Amino acid sequence: MTIHLSSDDCLLAIESTCDETAAAVITRSGCVLGECVATQETLHEQFAGVVPEIAARAHLERILPVIDTAIVQSRIAMDRLVAVAVATHPGLPGSLLVGLSAAKALALAWSKPLVGINHVQAHVYACGMGHGSSIYPCIGFVVSGGHTSLYHCHSATDWAYLGGTIDDAAGEAFDKVAVMLGLPFPGGPQLSALASSGNPRAIQFPRPLLDDHTRLDFSFSGLKTAVRYHIAGTGQKDWSLIELSDQDKMDIAACFQQSVIDCLVGKAVLAVKKTGLKRICLGGGVAANRRLREQLQAACDSKGIELLIAAPELCTDNAVMGALAWEKIERGEYDSLELDAQPGLLRPALGAKRR
Ligand code: KG4
Ligand code: ZN
């Protein structure tokens, strides 16, 4: 079924997969009429990580004011709204349920169709917003606090899993090393700022799995441990007492960041070699990292690969990337009110066979 839409038609998109509560009103032509993101960083800071139960409760408090703000800002008449879209997977179960319940209630109350979307696919879709032409087929590369995965994206929603982290996600490793350096949560952006004053060649940290050209996987857990042992000395348990100079901290940050970037760039280029695709689309929170953007761009330029990276404000979680729902709406692919949250990761089960 093909649905005829006008460029003025709007959808309301809702995002609550992790610790950002977000809503946006987006036209079919990609114009963002209203947007609101409520972060929860201060709530999770003392735990140096996202606490699922706290996240779910905070979503519950924020979801209606956030949606209200986006709609009021958009100034649309309700008859322009053609659907309510919501990210239903992957994510934290309690967090997903808050967004999904709100979306279902509004869809029912307003008699609008409901559309469930995949959060990881939305991160890649964000790379094409404002691009003008389709970004598919491409290598979709999502690097965030919860994901570090490569996909063969045949279209916006037809994906095959190529490889990903076998332990920590890259953003998670950034956040954990940031804690070792005494930086506040989420430490990725602060660690990256500290790294800009350090020497990326001062310490030789490992590049896990980088030399294994048979697989498109990542492993950041051992790298994190290597940083910890560098700080404390091998085998030491109580590293909290170690005093680091500012220069030490800057060098550790720069060298850790460089190891992560080398792995990310190396495997992205290997994915191109293995699939024959000539376009990489990079999204997710860590894609906001300036050095990663520059170094992946340089690698792609030298190999004739087209690179599209989500705009920095669309890298971390937001609802604007929920414009992905238009792809399903155009095909008349709506969901019923039976739609459920699927917390698990986007692993091979969702796409075709792993290559
Ligand atoms: O996409 P996102 O908002 O949430 C998930 O879906 O996980 O990503 C958040 C992650 C955090 O781990 C944060 O530290 C990391 O992205 N991050 C960065 C930078 N900005 C955000 N990591 C490194 N450098 C940055 N500039
Ligand atoms: Zn995300």
Side-chain angles (χ1 to χ4, degrees):
M1 176 168 54
T2 307
I3 304 288
H4 292 289
L5 296 162
S6 103
S7 58
D8 263 5
D9 286 337
C10 294
L11 66 77
L12 168 69
I14 297 171
E15 153 67 38
S16 69
T17 57
C18 188
D19 62 340
E20 261 92 30
T21 320
V25 176
I26 314 140
T27 66
R28 175 63 200 109
S29 54
C31 194
V32 181
L33 300 182
E35 194 203 352
C36 184
V37 183
T39 60
Q40 303 180 5
E41 283 164 14
T42 49
L43 299 181
H44 301 288
E45 191 173 352
Q46 60 175 307
F47 305 102
V50 176
V51 182
E53 183 61 20
I54 294 176
R57 284 167 191 264
H59 282 305
L60 209 49
E61 285 167 10
R62 290 147 201 240
I63 192 87
L64 293 181
V66 161
I67 292 171
D68 202 37
T69 303
I71 290 186
V72 168
Q73 205 181 76
S74 74
R75 297 165 172 251
I76 56 159
M78 273 324 202
D79 59 354
R80 278 180 66 191
L81 199 69
V82 298
V84 179
V86 60
T88 58
H89 60 294
L92 300 172
S95 295
L96 288 168
L97 283 175
V98 175
L100 180 58
S101 306
K104 282 183 182 180
L106 292 174
L108 185 66
W110 293 338
S111 302
K112 306 286 179 187
L114 179 70
V115 185
I117 56 164
N118 181 303
H119 175 78
V120 173
Q121 292 177 341
H123 269 304
V124 169
Y125 190 80
C127 301
M129 296 193 74
H131 181 60
S133 57
S134 172
I135 61 170
Y136 306 98
C138 68
I139 302 274
F141 193 12
V142 179
V143 190
S144 69
H147 317 277
T148 303
S149 316
L150 287 155
Y151 301 90
H152 183 140
C153 309
H154 300 280
S155 73
T157 51
D158 178 13
W159 285 27
Y161 179 76
L162 296 170
T165 183
I166 57 170
D167 41 55
D168 290 358
E172 189 182 355
F174 264 94
D175 294 341
K176 288 178 178 168
V177 169
V179 170
M180 296 179 205
L181 297 176
L183 300 169
F185 174 83
Q190 279 96 340
L191 188 146
S192 151
L194 195 65
S196 63
S197 311
N199 172 7
R201 281 178 292 279
I203 311 150
Q204 188 59 31
F205 287 133
R207 269 83 173 144
L209 299 181
L210 182 57
D211 293 333
D212 183 347
H213 294 181
T214 63
R215 55 200 285 203
L216 291 167
D217 291 329
F218 305 89
S219 169
F220 296 114
S221 178
L223 170 61
K224 197 183 62 190
T225 307
V227 175
R228 183 175 167 151
Y229 281 155
H230 175 83
I231 294 174
T234 311
Q236 290 298 318
K237 290 228 158 50
D238 193 3
W239 55 286
S240 58
L241 302 174
I242 308 287
E243 284 281 329
L244 292 171
S245 70
D246 287 349
Q247 191 59 51
D248 285 340
K249 288 183 185 175
M250 290 186 270
D251 288 346
I252 291 169
C255 294
F256 161 77
Q257 176 175 265
Q258 194 55 54
S259 289
V260 174
I261 292 176
D262 285 350
C263 295
L264 296 175
V265 172
K267 294 294 180 179
V269 170
L270 184 62
V272 167
K273 216 184 243 175
K274 282 191 181 292
T275 59
L277 291 167
K278 278 285 181 188
R279 184 185 298 131
I280 297 173
C281 292
L282 173 71
V286 181
N289 184 287
R290 194 174 51 81
R291 239 180 126 78
L292 170 61
R293 296 171 87 95
E294 287 167 1
Q295 293 188 17
L296 186 56
Q297 187 67 64
C300 288
D301 287 349
S302 72
K303 293 185 163 28
I305 302 165
E306 185 186 359
L307 175 66
L308 292 163
I309 310 181
E313 66 278 11
L314 292 185
C315 286
T316 45
D317 289 347
N318 65 86
V320 172
M321 62 191 189
L324 164 67
W326 284 120
E327 302 280 330
K328 291 181 75 178
I329 295 168
E330 275 184 351
R331 298 194 296 261
E333 262 180 55
Y334 300 128
D335 290 290
S336 78
L337 292 177
E338 304 292 310
L339 182 65
D340 212 348
Q342 294 168 264
L345 282 173
L346 181 69
R347 287 274 168 163
L350 188 138
K353 284 194 195 91
R354 183 184 170 125
R355 301 173 183 201

